[in-house]
């Protein structure tokens, strides 16, 4: 099992300043040499691969999960799909960040009060190549200069970020590759998917938004012609699964655009200063580094407009991973987003070598308002809630509606303490944007939650009338629950808790797909109130 490690180590220590200080010399030589000697699967003995975050590497099927509390509502028929990273093999470089790892898709199928569970790896090109060689081949996160030579031109995507149902296809997504299509019942991987050749960008975002009233999927790509390029593209995919609108434009810099927002008339792209430097990549550096001296730039694009109609806005340094929703009312376009003053993705280092200032990375639900009629590039910033929160979601039927009343997040329970509950973003939150009320459900000590997904009670239920489905990490028991909450009454506690005998390691995103949408390939959204 001969390996050429020397070249990789030499490149990685070549950098001496700024973000490069995070380019640690690989001090894992013992790990690597042990690995090489035994030829076995052995993960580094570091916290990243221990406890609840340890790779699971297990695929399973469970018909009729245990229900350990309450009753699963019989009117909840459909499937919850979730996706997250789960390391197939120990990393090539001995250390990495938690967002890397092969995509594992989880599904919970609800039928007349029963819940069946299944999870499968997405058989990406990367997964299959590593399986063939029985080891990890890909180096530092998104840094193609650190991969094993066996990788060649193999697509690097892990399909580990999100899973969506659109135009009769189930797609697993990661923002540095094209989607992978899966069988919606078996989760078998069908292959890489480019909308019949309609996608010209190198990859697509993992955060498309579906307008369930028009059955359009709105998506984009950044660094769309390759690592370090400033090309960006916005696509509208029609209900028939074909590209119906496409806008290429030039981004202010080659940086991360992890998510965007859609309104009834616009799409909104925020550019936060988390930048890619190809020269740093060539030296083995991180894919992104934080430039705290740079401003925030936002592009507001007419939903069916052209590049020359884009309006650009500028504001103070800020960051957000995820958007709640967008809205257009007259000449005012707004973006509701979990915004922080600094880098909340602190696993990417500061460009200037300064330590991360975690106090600036605390996100709150914030509204940015852009006035298309004003002769200014400034925008207005209004914090909407005091609760620390991330992973914002709405009732999916209201994406693209331009209005919504109810938002859902993972959040910090202000009443929790180190002794009595999870002090991190370990609770589920509900924001009523009309009344300003906040409700929080805390799963209790030694437990955490994952991003909640909303499931309407019926296709024509009003906004907020339905359930929240949230995976709960039972850390001490090393397994997971699925909590089903009344979306308007979190304080009452779960309507039902579905017990899993296994751990769902950490999923990032996913969605609820009603049975009628699975059957027809179309959403039948009815928006009221
Ligand atoms: Fe995300």
């Amino acid at each position: 099992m001969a390996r050429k490690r020397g070249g990789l180590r030499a490149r990685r220590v070549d950098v001496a300043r700024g973000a490069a200080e995070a380019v640690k010399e690989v001090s894992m030589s013992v790990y690597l040499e042990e690995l090489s000697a035994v030829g076995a699967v052995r993960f580094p003995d570091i916290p990243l691969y221990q406890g609840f975050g340890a790779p699971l590497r297990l695929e399973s099927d469970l018909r009729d999960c245990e229900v350990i509390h309450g009753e699963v509502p019989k009117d909840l028929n459909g499937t919850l799909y979730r996706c997250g990273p789960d390391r197939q093999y120990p990393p090539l470089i001995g250390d990495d960040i938690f967002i890397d790892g092969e995509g594992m898709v989880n599904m919970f199928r609800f039928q007349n009060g029963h819940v069946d569970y299944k999870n499968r790896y997405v058989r990406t090109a990367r997964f299959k190549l590593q399986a063939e060689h029985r080891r990890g081949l890909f180096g530092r996160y998104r840094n193609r200069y650190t991969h094993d030579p066996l990788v060649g031109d193999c697509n690097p995507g892990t399909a580990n970020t999100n899973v969506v149902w659109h135009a009769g296809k189930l797609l697993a997504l990661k923002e540095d590759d094209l989607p992978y299509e899966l069988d919606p019942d078996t989760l078998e991987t069908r292959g890489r998917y480019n909308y019949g050749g309609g996608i010209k960008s190198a990859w697509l975002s993992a955060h498309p938004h579906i307008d369930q009233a028009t059955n359009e999927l709105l998506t984009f790509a950044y660094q769309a012609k390759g690592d370090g390029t400033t090309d960006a593209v916005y696509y509208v995919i029609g209900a028939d699964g074909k590209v119906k609108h496409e806008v290429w434009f030039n981004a202010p810099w080659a940086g991360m655009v992890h998510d965007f927002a859609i309104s009834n008339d616009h799409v909104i792209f925020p550019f936060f200063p988390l930048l890619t430097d190809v020269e740093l990549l060539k030296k083995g550096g991180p894919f992104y580094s934080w430039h705290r001296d740079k401003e925030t730039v936002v592009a507001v694009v007419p939903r069916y407009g052209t590049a020359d109609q884009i309006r650009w806005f500028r504001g103070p340094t800020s960051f957000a991973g995820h958007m709640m929703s967008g809205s257009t009312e007259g000449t005012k376009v707004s973006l509701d987003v979990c915004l922080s003053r600094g880098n909340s993705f602190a696993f990417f280092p500061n460009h200037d070598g300064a330590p991360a200032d975690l106090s600036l990375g605390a996100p709150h639900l914030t509204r940015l308002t852009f006035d298309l009629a004003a002769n200014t590039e400034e925008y207005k910033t209004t914090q909407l809630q005091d609760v620390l929160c991330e992973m914002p979601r709405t009732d999916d039927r209201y994406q693209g509606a331009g209005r919504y009343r109810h938002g859902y997040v993972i959040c910090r329970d202000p009443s929790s303490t180190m002794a009595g509950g999870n002090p991190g973003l370990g609770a589920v939150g509900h924001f009523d944007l009309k009344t300003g009320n906040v409700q929080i459900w805390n799963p209790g000590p030694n437990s955490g939650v994952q991003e909640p997904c909303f499931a309407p009670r019926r296709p024509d239920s009003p906004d907020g009338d339905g359930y929240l489905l949230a995976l709960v990490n039972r850390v001490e028991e090393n397994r997971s629950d699925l909590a089903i909450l009344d979306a308007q009454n979190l304080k009452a506690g779960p309507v039902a808790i579905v017990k899993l005998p296994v751990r769902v390691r950490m999923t990032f995103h996913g969605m609820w797909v009603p049975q009628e949408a699975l059957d027809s390939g179309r959403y039948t959204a009815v928006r009221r109130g």
Side-chain angles (χ1 to χ4, degrees), residues 324 365 392-395 404-409 429-433 463 468:
M324 181 83 87
L365 186 64
R393 296 295 295 259
T394 64
D395 176 340
Y404 72 103
R405 174 171 171 176
H406 301 282
Y408 311 99
V409 291
H430 165 217
F431 298 148
D432 184 329
L433 277 290
D463 182 2
L468 278 187

Side-chain angles (χ1 to χ4, degrees), residues 161 207 258 321-322 391 508-509:
T161 310
H207 278 288
H258 182 63
H322 299 102
M391 300 302 210
F508 294 132
H509 306 290

Side-chain angles (χ1 to χ4, degrees), residues 366-428:
T366 303
R367 179 163 294 170
L368 308 182
T369 306
F370 312 92
D371 188 348
L372 302 179
N375 186 25
T376 175
E377 290 191 334
E378 291 182 13
Y379 55 82
K380 182 179 164 193
T381 302
T382 311
Q383 186 173 315
L384 300 179
Q385 293 288 347
D386 293 333
V387 180
L388 272 178
C389 63
E390 237 287 19
M391 300 302 210
R393 296 295 295 259
T394 64
D395 176 340
D396 287 340
R397 293 173 302 165
Y398 286 80
Q399 287 292 310
R403 60 191 162 82
Y404 72 103
R405 174 171 171 176
H406 301 282
Y408 311 99
V409 291
I410 62 169
C411 65
R412 176 180 292 175
D413 179 354
S415 67
S416 75
T417 64
M418 287 299 286
N422 190 322
L425 302 182
V428 177

Side-chain angles (χ1 to χ4, degrees), residues 284-298:
F287 193 75
Y288 297 112
S289 52
W290 175 250
H291 291 243
R292 55 184 172 163
D293 56 330
K294 286 189 181 294
E295 59 191 351
T296 300
V297 180
V298 182

Side-chain angles (χ1 to χ4, degrees), residues 143 145 223 226-229 254 276-284 286-287:
N143 187 334
Y145 301 97
Q223 303 189 33
D227 294 344
T229 60
T276 301
D277 177 346
V278 173
E279 291 308 310
L280 195 57
L281 290 179
K282 289 177 180 174
K283 295 169 182 169
F287 193 75

Side-chain angles (χ1 to χ4, degrees), residues 145-261:
Y145 301 97
T146 63
H147 298 337
D148 189 291
L150 285 169
V151 168
D153 59 0
C154 176
N155 292 309
T158 51
N160 75 7
T161 310
N162 200 357
V163 58
V164 298
W165 173 252
H166 176 251
K169 293 191 183 300
L170 185 68
L171 302 172
L173 309 172
K174 170 76 170 67
E175 64 194 26
D176 60 354
D177 205 344
L178 292 175
Y180 275 85
E181 185 188 354
L182 311 177
D183 183 297
D185 299 324
T186 66
L187 298 183
E188 181 184 343
T189 304
R190 290 177 174 165
R192 202 161 171 260
Y193 184 66
N194 73 351
Y195 293 92
I199 300 299
K200 305 303 181 198
S201 54
W203 35 67
L204 282 175
S205 167
H207 278 288
H209 292 278
I210 298 168
D211 184 327
Q212 293 194 4
T214 64
N215 274 282
E216 292 170 327
L217 178 142
L218 285 66
T219 190
F220 68 98
Y222 66 92
Q223 303 189 33
K225 291 186 178 175
D227 294 344
T229 60
T230 57
D231 304 273
V233 61
Y234 155 59
Y235 288 110
V236 180
I237 313 290
D240 58 359
K242 294 182 177 155
V243 174
K244 65 184 282 191
H245 189 67
E246 179 175 356
V247 181
W248 286 86
F249 61 100
N250 199 35
W253 49 62
M256 174 192 277
V257 187
H258 182 63
D259 193 4
F260 79 143

